Amino acid sequence: MGKEIYAMIKIKNLKLKNRFLLAPMLEPNDIAFRMLSKKSGCALTYTGMTSPLSQKEIILDDRPAIQIFANSEEGIEDFIKKYDKKVKLWDLNLGCPSDLSKKLGHGAFLKDIIIIERIIKKMRSSTKKPITIKIRKTKIAFKILKIAEKYVDAIAIHPRTISQGYSGEPDYEFALKIKKATLLPVIFSGNVNKKNVSKILNDFDFVFIGREAIGNPKIFSELIGKNSKITFSQYLKLAKKYNLPFRQIKYQAMNFTKGIRAAKKARKELISVKNIKDIESKQIF
Ligand SMILES: Cc1cc2nc3c(=O)[nH]c(=O)nc-3n(C[C@H](O)[C@H](O)[C@H](O)COP(=O)(O)O)c2cc1C
């Protein structure tokens, strides 16, 4: 990658050490996984989408971006004030295509521009930290962009439609149109991998690494050309430290079989595990 690519790596006043960010992902991005992604070299981790009305304590040792989802301003100010010192950045999810988002009218289903503006404005008045928003390919994407430009510091585009969900080709041309339409830094999301990342970073400012990082946080060290040892044992150590529920640890164990030989056999063996000792005794990793 050319030197110029690293010329200005900033979102507002937040300096970032490279342009590889961990995409917001609800299930995979637990604190242990985020810590490991950071260790691997990821410049900024995002939490999965989080309700500002949630009372659950969020561990923020990785100094992440917290992604919120909302269909009104309710609770946003208090939520931001509660965690503001411990985060690097705030993000608003305007892209979630799930049935729950449909039911509650948030994510990609929040289509009322006036409410979107109220939410973003509330975020802006609650923090001096940088703010990003994450959008999809929708009819109102450019309208949102125009509003966002008044308040936010970067925009993330996952150029798939709501009905595409997470499959089918991301519409690269659509994302380029967003990039051309704004002076804000643009984060590209959608099937970013080791092969296509150089090209994408010629066109966009940052990339979100999503599914490629699931079970494989090592990808960040590979992307920055560093040879770090990132393993499931390290995940397990962190998961124990943070007292993560066993079902989450088992889910991640399944994910981490991705890169290993005889992955199918390993997954089969993992189905029946009941505790951490069971996982360790399988000697899979
Ligand atoms: C398991 C999973 C959970 C996700 N959760 C979120 C989320 O909470 N918020 C969000 O904005 N996007 C979420 N996404 C979407 C990703 O951030 C990303 O935009 C999408 O997966 C496309 O990127 P990829 O091809 O690199 O995975 C999720 C994706 C996956 C696979």
Side-chain angles (χ1 to χ4, degrees), residues 23-27 49 67 93 134 158 166 189-191 210-211:
M25 292 188 288
L26 189 56
E27 300 84 358
M49 59 180 188
Q67 183 188 65
N93 180 332
K134 183 161 178 270
H158 177 202
Y166 296 120
S189 178
N191 293 3
R211 283 166 292 187

Side-chain angles (χ1 to χ4, degrees), residues 24 67 91-95 132-136 156 158 189 208:
Q67 183 188 65
D91 178 70
L92 177 65
N93 180 332
L94 290 172
T132 57
I133 58 166
K134 183 161 178 270
I135 61 169
R136 260 187 189 253
H158 177 202
S189 178
F208 269 150

Side-chain angles (χ1 to χ4, degrees), residues 99-118:
D99 288 344
L100 184 71
S101 290
K102 189 174 183 177
K103 199 172 140 203
L104 301 176
H106 54 61
F109 295 96
L110 180 54
K111 292 178 178 166
D112 186 327
I113 289 288
I114 293 170
I115 297 178
I116 292 175
E117 178 157 17
R118 270 194 219 139

Side-chain angles (χ1 to χ4, degrees), residues 12-153:
K12 198 183 181 190
N13 52 358
L14 174 67
K15 283 195 194 123
L16 297 166
K17 60 182 178 186
N18 60 56
R19 307 200 291 156
F20 308 114
L21 318 180
L22 175 65
M25 292 188 288
L26 189 56
E27 300 84 358
N29 292 13
D30 60 57
I31 178 64
F33 182 74
R34 299 198 315 264
M35 291 295 278
L36 210 50
S37 296
K38 222 172 158 194
K39 181 173 174 222
S40 175
C42 165
L44 179 66
T45 51
Y46 276 62
T47 68
M49 59 180 188
T50 310
S51 166
L53 301 173
S54 163
Q55 298 298 320
K56 214 173 137 210
E57 272 307 305
I58 313 170
I59 305 172
L60 300 167
D61 287 357
D62 57 327
R63 303 253 153 192
I66 297 186
Q67 183 188 65
I68 64 172
F69 68 91
N71 56 15
S72 78
E73 306 148 86
E74 195 188 347
I76 289 180
E77 187 170 0
D78 287 347
F79 186 71
I80 290 184
K81 296 249 177 302
K82 179 173 177 193
Y83 291 115
D84 204 32
K85 283 205 176 81
K86 292 186 179 165
V87 304
K88 290 242 174 82
L89 181 153
W90 290 93
D91 178 70
L92 177 65
N93 180 332
L94 290 172
C96 184
S98 73
D99 288 344
L100 184 71
S101 290
K102 189 174 183 177
K103 199 172 140 203
L104 301 176
H106 54 61
F109 295 96
L110 180 54
K111 292 178 178 166
D112 186 327
I113 289 288
I114 293 170
I115 297 178
I116 292 175
E117 178 157 17
R118 270 194 219 139
I119 293 174
I120 300 176
K121 214 170 158 178
K122 179 58 77 184
M123 290 174 75
R124 181 71 290 160
S125 65
S126 305
T127 181
K128 289 197 166 63
K129 296 272 166 86
I131 295 175
T132 57
I133 58 166
K134 183 161 178 270
I135 61 169
R136 260 187 189 253
K137 179 186 171 186
T138 63
K139 287 201 179 104
I140 58 164
F142 288 90
K143 268 194 195 157
I144 296 176
L145 178 64
K146 283 298 144 215
I147 285 172
E149 281 178 329
K150 291 197 257 172
Y151 311 99
V152 314
D153 306 294

